[in-house]
Amino acid sequence: MAKDRIISRDSHPLDAPVEAESAGVMRPSSLGDYIGQPELKERLTIALDAARQRSDPMEHTLLHGPPGLGKTTLAHIIANEMGTRAYVTSGPALTKGGDLVGTLTRMQPGDILFIDEIHRLPAAVEEYVYPAMEDFKIDFTLDSGIHAKVITYNLKPFTLIGATTRAGLLTGALRSRFGLSHRIDYYQQDELVEILARALGRLGIEGVPTEAIDEIARRSRGTPRIGLRLMRRVRDFAQVRHNGKLTPEVVMEALALEGVDDAGLDKLDRTYLSTLIRVYQGGPAGLEAIAATMGEDPGTLEDVVEPYLLQIGFMARTRQGRQITPEGRNWVSEASKGDSKLFDG
Ligand code: ADE
């Protein structure tokens, strides 16, 4: 299952206890501690300073970009910097307008309402959100028909932070109500190394050679959440098999066991590439056809497998369909020479 992949960018259900338990130690709590995204940090610093000087809440902010890059972390940082609280929910968790009333009416001035996957907010809830964002008011309808009664609640000025992996799916009306909108990009190798090194430090794991951290970062697909997850698997492996010694060799051994290769690809990515080559002569081939051959869901391939393969230039999307690139073909051929088991069914 794609969701169970160790390199999945989605927050994994199994990570929940770990993330909850270590969120406080693992997450940066101020913008100064946040690594990467320099333009975003600068824009947020200005918006935060200006808001604090005026004693206003910060402007409503939309963060968009691939999963795992720190959108939720930023919402917590903003609340911390404002000295307020963050209330966290998600588009699919809110089914009717009333679902937000409790939280919105409880929020204090400057508090943050973070809505993840805001592109999946049902239309009925979106209707509630507009006046809340614009006038800090919500109209709640009690009963229906001739007995219907509208109660207007005045809210304390708050900040909505919306996060989405699919900014294009937001309605224009919602998008236009955000004062700030910023795309979060993939992280550079040196930024990932720094994030992982700090996380190791926070876990009290000292003396790990830079080359070992480099190896983990290289397989992290530019994504801190993936890097931190791989790091935990490597830590377990080193602890159980190598007396806690974390060397580049141990990293490679641990991640080979997890099926993550040196390009950061896992079994599903490799099956996608080898299917494209073996069955479709490298393409162009339709997504539905590739998915049917693999016995996978086309949406999963599109959302979970293709973005990274496109990013590293191993495949292209053309008008005629999906196509392997010379780099992708080369990599498959080199990798299968090196380790034929990588491509075993
Ligand atoms: N942990 C996860 N993402 C981070 C980031 N961008 N900076 C610092 N620590 C992090």
mmCIF file of all heavy atoms in Angstrom, residues 11-12 15-35 68-80 86-88 114 116 187 195 198-203 224-225 228 231-232:
data_model
loop_
_atom_site.group_PDB
_atom_site.id
_atom_site.type_symbol
_atom_site.label_atom_id
_atom_site.label_comp_id
_atom_site.label_asym_id
_atom_site.label_seq_id
_atom_site.Cartn_x
_atom_site.Cartn_y
_atom_site.Cartn_z
ATOM 1 N N SER A 11 1.815 12.152 6.715
ATOM 2 C CA SER A 11 2.059 11.825 8.089
ATOM 3 C C SER A 11 1.474 10.429 8.286
ATOM 4 O O SER A 11 0.359 10.144 7.886
ATOM 5 C CB SER A 11 1.389 12.904 8.899
ATOM 6 O OG SER A 11 0.897 12.448 10.040
ATOM 7 N N HIS A 12 2.250 9.509 8.806
ATOM 8 C CA HIS A 12 1.866 8.108 8.877
ATOM 9 C C HIS A 12 1.129 7.854 10.186
ATOM 10 O O HIS A 12 1.540 8.360 11.223
ATOM 11 C CB HIS A 12 3.148 7.268 8.815
ATOM 12 C CG HIS A 12 2.895 5.832 8.540
ATOM 13 N ND1 HIS A 12 2.348 5.021 9.480
ATOM 14 C CD2 HIS A 12 3.105 5.081 7.440
ATOM 15 C CE1 HIS A 12 2.245 3.801 8.971
ATOM 16 N NE2 HIS A 12 2.701 3.818 7.728
ATOM 17 N N ASP A 15 3.213 7.015 12.962
ATOM 18 C CA ASP A 15 4.102 8.036 13.503
ATOM 19 C C ASP A 15 3.434 8.822 14.606
ATOM 20 O O ASP A 15 4.094 9.500 15.367
ATOM 21 C CB ASP A 15 4.485 9.067 12.428
ATOM 22 C CG ASP A 15 5.486 8.499 11.457
ATOM 23 O OD1 ASP A 15 6.099 7.483 11.805
ATOM 24 O OD2 ASP A 15 5.638 9.080 10.383
ATOM 25 N N ALA A 16 2.099 8.745 14.644
ATOM 26 C CA ALA A 16 1.372 9.662 15.518
ATOM 27 C C ALA A 16 1.894 9.667 16.955
ATOM 28 O O ALA A 16 2.216 10.723 17.471
ATOM 29 C CB ALA A 16 -0.119 9.387 15.451
ATOM 30 N N PRO A 17 2.007 8.468 17.597
ATOM 31 C CA PRO A 17 2.477 8.519 18.984
ATOM 32 C C PRO A 17 3.889 9.090 19.074
ATOM 33 O O PRO A 17 4.174 9.892 19.941
ATOM 34 C CB PRO A 17 2.464 7.054 19.419
ATOM 35 C CG PRO A 17 1.669 6.324 18.401
ATOM 36 C CD PRO A 17 1.722 7.118 17.148
ATOM 37 N N VAL A 18 4.745 8.690 18.123
ATOM 38 C CA VAL A 18 6.127 9.171 18.139
ATOM 39 C C VAL A 18 6.141 10.675 17.961
ATOM 40 O O VAL A 18 6.772 11.402 18.705
ATOM 41 C CB VAL A 18 6.943 8.527 16.993
ATOM 42 C CG1 VAL A 18 8.359 9.048 17.007
ATOM 43 C CG2 VAL A 18 6.900 7.027 17.096
ATOM 44 N N GLU A 19 5.374 11.125 16.942
ATOM 45 C CA GLU A 19 5.383 12.557 16.676
ATOM 46 C C GLU A 19 4.779 13.327 17.830
ATOM 47 O O GLU A 19 5.254 14.383 18.187
ATOM 48 C CB GLU A 19 4.662 12.852 15.357
ATOM 49 C CG GLU A 19 5.562 12.477 14.192
ATOM 50 C CD GLU A 19 4.938 12.682 12.826
ATOM 51 O OE1 GLU A 19 3.752 12.998 12.746
ATOM 52 O OE2 GLU A 19 5.660 12.503 11.851
ATOM 53 N N ALA A 20 3.707 12.762 18.412
ATOM 54 C CA ALA A 20 3.080 13.463 19.530
ATOM 55 C C ALA A 20 4.050 13.509 20.711
ATOM 56 O O ALA A 20 4.246 14.542 21.322
ATOM 57 C CB ALA A 20 1.798 12.748 19.932
ATOM 58 N N GLU A 21 4.685 12.355 20.971
ATOM 59 C CA GLU A 21 5.567 12.262 22.127
ATOM 60 C C GLU A 21 6.777 13.171 21.969
ATOM 61 O O GLU A 21 7.221 13.812 22.907
ATOM 62 C CB GLU A 21 5.998 10.799 22.240
ATOM 63 C CG GLU A 21 7.149 10.534 23.162
ATOM 64 C CD GLU A 21 7.840 9.226 22.750
ATOM 65 O OE1 GLU A 21 7.130 8.224 22.549
ATOM 66 O OE2 GLU A 21 9.058 9.242 22.602
ATOM 67 N N SER A 22 7.308 13.244 20.735
ATOM 68 C CA SER A 22 8.547 13.989 20.562
ATOM 69 C C SER A 22 8.345 15.325 19.870
ATOM 70 O O SER A 22 9.302 16.029 19.607
ATOM 71 C CB SER A 22 9.546 13.145 19.761
ATOM 72 O OG SER A 22 8.947 12.774 18.536
ATOM 73 N N ALA A 23 7.057 15.675 19.601
ATOM 74 C CA ALA A 23 6.825 16.910 18.849
ATOM 75 C C ALA A 23 7.506 18.091 19.522
ATOM 76 O O ALA A 23 8.162 18.891 18.869
ATOM 77 C CB ALA A 23 5.335 17.162 18.705
ATOM 78 N N GLY A 24 7.364 18.159 20.845
ATOM 79 C CA GLY A 24 7.940 19.271 21.577
ATOM 80 C C GLY A 24 9.446 19.366 21.404
ATOM 81 O O GLY A 24 9.977 20.455 21.235
ATOM 82 N N VAL A 25 10.127 18.229 21.444
ATOM 83 C CA VAL A 25 11.581 18.261 21.315
ATOM 84 C C VAL A 25 12.024 18.338 19.861
ATOM 85 O O VAL A 25 13.054 18.919 19.551
ATOM 86 C CB VAL A 25 12.271 17.009 21.924
ATOM 87 C CG1 VAL A 25 12.834 17.303 23.269
ATOM 88 C CG2 VAL A 25 11.392 15.794 21.911
ATOM 89 N N MET A 26 11.259 17.700 18.961
ATOM 90 C CA MET A 26 11.707 17.597 17.576
ATOM 91 C C MET A 26 11.423 18.856 16.774
ATOM 92 O O MET A 26 12.134 19.167 15.842
ATOM 93 C CB MET A 26 11.019 16.418 16.885
ATOM 94 C CG MET A 26 11.321 15.067 17.480
ATOM 95 S SD MET A 26 13.043 14.594 17.279
ATOM 96 C CE MET A 26 13.041 14.099 15.570
ATOM 97 N N ARG A 27 10.355 19.557 17.121
ATOM 98 C CA ARG A 27 9.949 20.703 16.307
ATOM 99 C C ARG A 27 10.653 21.978 16.739
ATOM 100 O O ARG A 27 10.746 22.241 17.929
ATOM 101 C CB ARG A 27 8.448 20.928 16.463
ATOM 102 C CG ARG A 27 7.627 20.076 15.581
ATOM 103 C CD ARG A 27 6.287 20.755 15.317
ATOM 104 N NE ARG A 27 5.469 19.902 14.498
ATOM 105 C CZ ARG A 27 4.290 19.414 14.869
ATOM 106 N NH1 ARG A 27 3.792 19.745 16.034
ATOM 107 N NH2 ARG A 27 3.600 18.638 14.067
ATOM 108 N N PRO A 28 11.072 22.795 15.755
ATOM 109 C CA PRO A 28 11.605 24.100 16.148
ATOM 110 C C PRO A 28 10.458 24.947 16.692
ATOM 111 O O PRO A 28 9.325 24.822 16.237
ATOM 112 C CB PRO A 28 12.132 24.668 14.827
ATOM 113 C CG PRO A 28 11.411 23.937 13.754
ATOM 114 C CD PRO A 28 11.036 22.599 14.317
ATOM 115 N N SER A 29 10.756 25.792 17.685
ATOM 116 C CA SER A 29 9.666 26.570 18.256
ATOM 117 C C SER A 29 9.712 28.043 17.865
ATOM 118 O O SER A 29 8.788 28.789 18.163
ATOM 119 C CB SER A 29 9.653 26.420 19.778
ATOM 120 O OG SER A 29 10.930 26.755 20.264
ATOM 121 N N SER A 30 10.784 28.464 17.204
ATOM 122 C CA SER A 30 10.834 29.864 16.759
ATOM 123 C C SER A 30 11.313 29.906 15.305
ATOM 124 O O SER A 30 11.930 28.948 14.826
ATOM 125 C CB SER A 30 11.791 30.657 17.631
ATOM 126 O OG SER A 30 13.119 30.234 17.364
ATOM 127 N N LEU A 31 11.044 31.031 14.645
ATOM 128 C CA LEU A 31 11.483 31.156 13.249
ATOM 129 C C LEU A 31 13.001 31.093 13.154
ATOM 130 O O LEU A 31 13.556 30.606 12.180
ATOM 131 C CB LEU A 31 10.992 32.486 12.667
ATOM 132 C CG LEU A 31 9.629 32.486 11.981
ATOM 133 C CD1 LEU A 31 9.363 33.855 11.387
ATOM 134 C CD2 LEU A 31 9.529 31.416 10.884
ATOM 135 N N GLY A 32 13.675 31.579 14.211
ATOM 136 C CA GLY A 32 15.135 31.543 14.237
ATOM 137 C C GLY A 32 15.662 30.113 14.182
ATOM 138 O O GLY A 32 16.744 29.867 13.644
ATOM 139 N N ASP A 33 14.918 29.169 14.733
ATOM 140 C CA ASP A 33 15.357 27.762 14.743
ATOM 141 C C ASP A 33 14.910 27.012 13.499
ATOM 142 O O ASP A 33 15.244 25.849 13.326
ATOM 143 C CB ASP A 33 14.749 27.030 15.954
ATOM 144 C CG ASP A 33 15.470 27.388 17.226
ATOM 145 O OD1 ASP A 33 16.619 27.852 17.133
ATOM 146 O OD2 ASP A 33 14.867 27.214 18.309
ATOM 147 N N TYR A 34 14.079 27.652 12.698
ATOM 148 C CA TYR A 34 13.536 26.977 11.516
ATOM 149 C C TYR A 34 14.565 27.056 10.382
ATOM 150 O O TYR A 34 15.058 28.136 10.060
ATOM 151 C CB TYR A 34 12.220 27.649 11.107
ATOM 152 C CG TYR A 34 11.447 26.903 10.053
ATOM 153 C CD1 TYR A 34 10.550 25.901 10.384
ATOM 154 C CD2 TYR A 34 11.605 27.210 8.698
ATOM 155 C CE1 TYR A 34 9.834 25.219 9.419
ATOM 156 C CE2 TYR A 34 10.891 26.527 7.720
ATOM 157 C CZ TYR A 34 10.014 25.538 8.084
ATOM 158 O OH TYR A 34 9.303 24.874 7.124
ATOM 159 N N ILE A 35 14.873 25.911 9.808
ATOM 160 C CA ILE A 35 15.920 25.858 8.776
ATOM 161 C C ILE A 35 15.282 25.839 7.393
ATOM 162 O O ILE A 35 14.275 25.167 7.177
ATOM 163 C CB ILE A 35 16.789 24.600 9.001
ATOM 164 C CG1 ILE A 35 17.546 24.759 10.323
ATOM 165 C CG2 ILE A 35 17.761 24.375 7.851
ATOM 166 C CD1 ILE A 35 17.884 23.458 10.974
ATOM 167 N N GLY A 68 4.823 17.256 4.021
ATOM 168 C CA GLY A 68 6.038 16.901 4.772
ATOM 169 C C GLY A 68 7.083 17.989 4.844
ATOM 170 O O GLY A 68 8.181 17.769 5.334
ATOM 171 N N LEU A 69 6.744 19.205 4.331
ATOM 172 C CA LEU A 69 7.765 20.253 4.278
ATOM 173 C C LEU A 69 7.670 21.236 5.442
ATOM 174 O O LEU A 69 8.413 22.202 5.496
ATOM 175 C CB LEU A 69 7.695 21.016 2.944
ATOM 176 C CG LEU A 69 7.890 20.175 1.679
ATOM 177 C CD1 LEU A 69 7.962 21.065 0.446
ATOM 178 C CD2 LEU A 69 9.154 19.333 1.754
ATOM 179 N N GLY A 70 6.722 21.024 6.345
ATOM 180 C CA GLY A 70 6.736 21.846 7.563
ATOM 181 C C GLY A 70 5.626 22.872 7.682
ATOM 182 O O GLY A 70 5.772 23.853 8.401
ATOM 183 N N LYS A 71 4.495 22.640 7.011
ATOM 184 C CA LYS A 71 3.407 23.614 7.082
ATOM 185 C C LYS A 71 2.809 23.653 8.503
ATOM 186 O O LYS A 71 2.594 24.732 9.052
ATOM 187 C CB LYS A 71 2.326 23.298 6.037
ATOM 188 C CG LYS A 71 2.881 23.398 4.596
ATOM 189 C CD LYS A 71 1.815 23.320 3.534
ATOM 190 C CE LYS A 71 1.379 21.922 3.171
ATOM 191 N NZ LYS A 71 2.360 21.097 2.487
ATOM 192 N N THR A 72 2.582 22.487 9.095
ATOM 193 C CA THR A 72 2.026 22.447 10.455
ATOM 194 C C THR A 72 3.029 23.027 11.451
ATOM 195 O O THR A 72 2.661 23.787 12.360
ATOM 196 C CB THR A 72 1.694 20.992 10.871
ATOM 197 O OG1 THR A 72 0.992 20.377 9.787
ATOM 198 C CG2 THR A 72 0.859 20.945 12.117
ATOM 199 N N THR A 73 4.299 22.674 11.265
ATOM 200 C CA THR A 73 5.349 23.207 12.140
ATOM 201 C C THR A 73 5.310 24.728 12.126
ATOM 202 O O THR A 73 5.405 25.374 13.173
ATOM 203 C CB THR A 73 6.729 22.716 11.638
ATOM 204 O OG1 THR A 73 6.705 21.291 11.629
ATOM 205 C CG2 THR A 73 7.859 23.215 12.505
ATOM 206 N N LEU A 74 5.154 25.319 10.936
ATOM 207 C CA LEU A 74 5.133 26.780 10.833
ATOM 208 C C LEU A 74 3.941 27.377 11.577
ATOM 209 O O LEU A 74 4.062 28.433 12.196
ATOM 210 C CB LEU A 74 5.102 27.208 9.368
ATOM 211 C CG LEU A 74 6.479 27.240 8.699
ATOM 212 C CD1 LEU A 74 6.347 27.391 7.188
ATOM 213 C CD2 LEU A 74 7.336 28.382 9.264
ATOM 214 N N ALA A 75 2.801 26.702 11.530
ATOM 215 C CA ALA A 75 1.618 27.215 12.242
ATOM 216 C C ALA A 75 1.912 27.273 13.743
ATOM 217 O O ALA A 75 1.577 28.257 14.412
ATOM 218 C CB ALA A 75 0.407 26.325 11.968
ATOM 219 N N HIS A 76 2.576 26.231 14.270
ATOM 220 C CA HIS A 76 2.921 26.230 15.702
ATOM 221 C C HIS A 76 3.946 27.329 16.008
ATOM 222 O O HIS A 76 3.869 27.990 17.038
ATOM 223 C CB HIS A 76 3.470 24.862 16.111
ATOM 224 C CG HIS A 76 2.389 23.819 16.232
ATOM 225 N ND1 HIS A 76 1.488 23.802 17.263
ATOM 226 C CD2 HIS A 76 2.047 22.777 15.426
ATOM 227 C CE1 HIS A 76 0.645 22.792 17.109
ATOM 228 N NE2 HIS A 76 0.964 22.158 15.989
ATOM 229 N N ILE A 77 4.894 27.503 15.096
ATOM 230 C CA ILE A 77 5.909 28.551 15.300
ATOM 231 C C ILE A 77 5.247 29.925 15.343
ATOM 232 O O ILE A 77 5.563 30.761 16.202
ATOM 233 C CB ILE A 77 6.976 28.505 14.169
ATOM 234 C CG1 ILE A 77 7.863 27.273 14.354
ATOM 235 C CG2 ILE A 77 7.807 29.784 14.146
ATOM 236 C CD1 ILE A 77 8.937 27.118 13.289
ATOM 237 N N ILE A 78 4.316 30.167 14.428
ATOM 238 C CA ILE A 78 3.654 31.471 14.371
ATOM 239 C C ILE A 78 2.900 31.732 15.679
ATOM 240 O O ILE A 78 2.993 32.815 16.256
ATOM 241 C CB ILE A 78 2.739 31.564 13.121
ATOM 242 C CG1 ILE A 78 3.611 31.613 11.857
ATOM 243 C CG2 ILE A 78 1.835 32.801 13.190
ATOM 244 C CD1 ILE A 78 2.851 31.437 10.557
ATOM 245 N N ALA A 79 2.203 30.707 16.175
ATOM 246 C CA ALA A 79 1.484 30.861 17.453
ATOM 247 C C ALA A 79 2.476 31.179 18.573
ATOM 248 O O ALA A 79 2.254 32.078 19.385
ATOM 249 C CB ALA A 79 0.694 29.598 17.765
ATOM 250 N N ASN A 80 3.589 30.457 18.578
ATOM 251 C CA ASN A 80 4.623 30.696 19.590
ATOM 252 C C ASN A 80 5.153 32.112 19.545
ATOM 253 O O ASN A 80 5.315 32.777 20.556
ATOM 254 C CB ASN A 80 5.802 29.755 19.306
ATOM 255 C CG ASN A 80 5.971 28.755 20.399
ATOM 256 O OD1 ASN A 80 5.388 28.902 21.459
ATOM 257 N ND2 ASN A 80 6.763 27.749 20.131
ATOM 258 N N ALA A 86 -2.312 27.572 18.995
ATOM 259 C CA ALA A 86 -2.718 27.088 17.671
ATOM 260 C C ALA A 86 -3.753 25.981 17.834
ATOM 261 O O ALA A 86 -3.552 25.041 18.608
ATOM 262 C CB ALA A 86 -1.505 26.548 16.923
ATOM 263 N N TYR A 87 -4.872 26.116 17.158
ATOM 264 C CA TYR A 87 -5.889 25.065 17.101
ATOM 265 C C TYR A 87 -5.748 24.390 15.745
ATOM 266 O O TYR A 87 -5.806 25.056 14.716
ATOM 267 C CB TYR A 87 -7.290 25.658 17.241
ATOM 268 C CG TYR A 87 -7.560 26.234 18.610
ATOM 269 C CD1 TYR A 87 -7.124 27.515 18.948
ATOM 270 C CD2 TYR A 87 -8.240 25.483 19.560
ATOM 271 C CE1 TYR A 87 -7.361 28.036 20.216
ATOM 272 C CE2 TYR A 87 -8.479 25.992 20.826
ATOM 273 C CZ TYR A 87 -8.043 27.274 21.149
ATOM 274 O OH TYR A 87 -8.278 27.781 22.392
ATOM 275 N N VAL A 88 -5.573 23.075 15.752
ATOM 276 C CA VAL A 88 -5.254 22.374 14.513
ATOM 277 C C VAL A 88 -6.412 21.480 14.075
ATOM 278 O O VAL A 88 -6.902 20.669 14.850
ATOM 279 C CB VAL A 88 -3.974 21.516 14.695
ATOM 280 C CG1 VAL A 88 -3.663 20.716 13.441
ATOM 281 C CG2 VAL A 88 -2.791 22.407 15.056
ATOM 282 N N PHE A 114 -5.446 26.529 12.423
ATOM 283 C CA PHE A 114 -4.711 25.903 11.320
ATOM 284 C C PHE A 114 -5.615 24.858 10.663
ATOM 285 O O PHE A 114 -6.064 23.917 11.320
ATOM 286 C CB PHE A 114 -3.438 25.232 11.852
ATOM 287 C CG PHE A 114 -2.654 24.510 10.791
ATOM 288 C CD1 PHE A 114 -1.920 25.213 9.839
ATOM 289 C CD2 PHE A 114 -2.643 23.116 10.723
ATOM 290 C CE1 PHE A 114 -1.194 24.551 8.855
ATOM 291 C CE2 PHE A 114 -1.922 22.447 9.739
ATOM 292 C CZ PHE A 114 -1.196 23.171 8.807
ATOM 293 N N ASP A 116 -5.500 22.153 7.855
ATOM 294 C CA ASP A 116 -4.697 21.385 6.902
ATOM 295 C C ASP A 116 -5.616 20.909 5.783
ATOM 296 O O ASP A 116 -6.827 20.789 5.984
ATOM 297 C CB ASP A 116 -4.077 20.194 7.642
ATOM 298 C CG ASP A 116 -2.851 19.659 6.927
ATOM 299 O OD1 ASP A 116 -2.389 20.301 5.964
ATOM 300 O OD2 ASP A 116 -2.351 18.606 7.345
ATOM 301 N N TYR A 187 13.543 21.029 0.287
ATOM 302 C CA TYR A 187 14.746 21.502 0.971
ATOM 303 C C TYR A 187 16.003 21.061 0.219
ATOM 304 O O TYR A 187 16.013 20.015 -0.433
ATOM 305 C CB TYR A 187 14.794 20.949 2.409
ATOM 306 C CG TYR A 187 13.758 21.571 3.313
ATOM 307 C CD1 TYR A 187 12.405 21.285 3.131
ATOM 308 C CD2 TYR A 187 14.114 22.449 4.316
ATOM 309 C CE1 TYR A 187 11.445 21.866 3.946
ATOM 310 C CE2 TYR A 187 13.156 23.026 5.138
ATOM 311 C CZ TYR A 187 11.833 22.731 4.943
ATOM 312 O OH TYR A 187 10.881 23.307 5.741
ATOM 313 N N ILE A 195 18.868 19.958 9.565
ATOM 314 C CA ILE A 195 17.648 19.566 10.280
ATOM 315 C C ILE A 195 17.870 18.231 10.995
ATOM 316 O O ILE A 195 17.535 18.067 12.170
ATOM 317 C CB ILE A 195 16.451 19.469 9.301
ATOM 318 C CG1 ILE A 195 16.054 20.869 8.815
ATOM 319 C CG2 ILE A 195 15.254 18.771 9.951
ATOM 320 C CD1 ILE A 195 15.057 20.881 7.670
ATOM 321 N N ARG A 198 20.340 18.544 13.944
ATOM 322 C CA ARG A 198 19.699 19.143 15.126
ATOM 323 C C ARG A 198 18.770 18.155 15.806
ATOM 324 O O ARG A 198 18.709 18.087 17.032
ATOM 325 C CB ARG A 198 18.874 20.352 14.716
ATOM 326 C CG ARG A 198 19.744 21.537 14.464
ATOM 327 C CD ARG A 198 18.889 22.772 14.563
ATOM 328 N NE ARG A 198 19.615 23.891 14.023
ATOM 329 C CZ ARG A 198 19.180 25.128 14.075
ATOM 330 N NH1 ARG A 198 18.009 25.385 14.616
ATOM 331 N NH2 ARG A 198 19.894 26.105 13.579
ATOM 332 N N ALA A 199 18.033 17.382 14.989
ATOM 333 C CA ALA A 199 17.104 16.405 15.569
ATOM 334 C C ALA A 199 17.879 15.342 16.352
ATOM 335 O O ALA A 199 17.469 14.941 17.445
ATOM 336 C CB ALA A 199 16.255 15.765 14.473
ATOM 337 N N LEU A 200 19.020 14.904 15.801
ATOM 338 C CA LEU A 200 19.849 13.923 16.517
ATOM 339 C C LEU A 200 20.322 14.518 17.838
ATOM 340 O O LEU A 200 20.281 13.864 18.876
ATOM 341 C CB LEU A 200 21.059 13.527 15.654
ATOM 342 C CG LEU A 200 20.785 12.544 14.515
ATOM 343 C CD1 LEU A 200 21.971 12.489 13.548
ATOM 344 C CD2 LEU A 200 20.504 11.144 15.063
ATOM 345 N N GLY A 201 20.749 15.778 17.779
ATOM 346 C CA GLY A 201 21.201 16.470 18.991
ATOM 347 C C GLY A 201 20.091 16.509 20.033
ATOM 348 O O GLY A 201 20.319 16.230 21.210
ATOM 349 N N ARG A 202 18.872 16.830 19.576
ATOM 350 C CA ARG A 202 17.746 16.913 20.520
ATOM 351 C C ARG A 202 17.415 15.557 21.123
ATOM 352 O O ARG A 202 16.903 15.464 22.225
ATOM 353 C CB ARG A 202 16.505 17.468 19.818
ATOM 354 C CG ARG A 202 16.621 18.951 19.493
ATOM 355 C CD ARG A 202 15.225 19.510 19.238
ATOM 356 N NE ARG A 202 15.316 20.781 18.539
ATOM 357 C CZ ARG A 202 15.055 20.945 17.239
ATOM 358 N NH1 ARG A 202 14.665 19.919 16.510
ATOM 359 N NH2 ARG A 202 15.178 22.115 16.683
ATOM 360 N N LEU A 203 17.715 14.478 20.356
ATOM 361 C CA LEU A 203 17.471 13.129 20.891
ATOM 362 C C LEU A 203 18.641 12.661 21.765
ATOM 363 O O LEU A 203 18.643 11.538 22.261
ATOM 364 C CB LEU A 203 17.282 12.134 19.740
ATOM 365 C CG LEU A 203 15.994 12.258 18.921
ATOM 366 C CD1 LEU A 203 16.040 11.334 17.705
ATOM 367 C CD2 LEU A 203 14.782 11.931 19.774
ATOM 368 N N PRO A 224 11.823 17.064 5.007
ATOM 369 C CA PRO A 224 12.213 16.787 6.391
ATOM 370 C C PRO A 224 11.447 15.627 7.023
ATOM 371 O O PRO A 224 12.037 14.805 7.713
ATOM 372 C CB PRO A 224 11.905 18.100 7.129
ATOM 373 C CG PRO A 224 12.006 19.144 6.083
ATOM 374 C CD PRO A 224 11.531 18.494 4.815
ATOM 375 N N ARG A 225 10.131 15.539 6.761
ATOM 376 C CA ARG A 225 9.366 14.462 7.418
ATOM 377 C C ARG A 225 9.914 13.096 7.033
ATOM 378 O O ARG A 225 9.999 12.186 7.852
ATOM 379 C CB ARG A 225 7.885 14.562 7.047
ATOM 380 C CG ARG A 225 7.037 13.527 7.770
ATOM 381 C CD ARG A 225 5.596 13.553 7.319
ATOM 382 N NE ARG A 225 4.918 14.746 7.769
ATOM 383 C CZ ARG A 225 3.843 15.263 7.188
ATOM 384 N NH1 ARG A 225 3.334 14.690 6.113
ATOM 385 N NH2 ARG A 225 3.278 16.352 7.658
ATOM 386 N N LEU A 228 13.391 12.635 8.780
ATOM 387 C CA LEU A 228 13.279 12.350 10.215
ATOM 388 C C LEU A 228 12.782 10.922 10.448
ATOM 389 O O LEU A 228 13.211 10.236 11.375
ATOM 390 C CB LEU A 228 12.348 13.371 10.891
ATOM 391 C CG LEU A 228 12.910 14.805 10.912
ATOM 392 C CD1 LEU A 228 11.820 15.811 11.269
ATOM 393 C CD2 LEU A 228 14.077 14.918 11.890
ATOM 394 N N MET A 231 15.600 8.609 9.719
ATOM 395 C CA MET A 231 16.550 8.712 10.820
ATOM 396 C C MET A 231 16.141 7.817 11.995
ATOM 397 O O MET A 231 16.977 7.158 12.609
ATOM 398 C CB MET A 231 16.629 10.164 11.277
ATOM 399 C CG MET A 231 17.715 10.437 12.277
ATOM 400 S SD MET A 231 17.561 12.127 12.873
ATOM 401 C CE MET A 231 16.295 11.920 14.108
ATOM 402 N N ARG A 232 14.846 7.776 12.271
ATOM 403 C CA ARG A 232 14.393 6.933 13.388
ATOM 404 C C ARG A 232 14.608 5.449 13.094
ATOM 405 O O ARG A 232 14.962 4.673 13.963
ATOM 406 C CB ARG A 232 12.911 7.206 13.704
ATOM 407 C CG ARG A 232 12.683 8.596 14.281
ATOM 408 C CD ARG A 232 11.324 8.693 14.956
ATOM 409 N NE ARG A 232 10.230 8.639 14.010
ATOM 410 C CZ ARG A 232 9.678 9.710 13.435
ATOM 411 N NH1 ARG A 232 10.125 10.913 13.709
ATOM 412 N NH2 ARG A 232 8.680 9.583 12.585
#
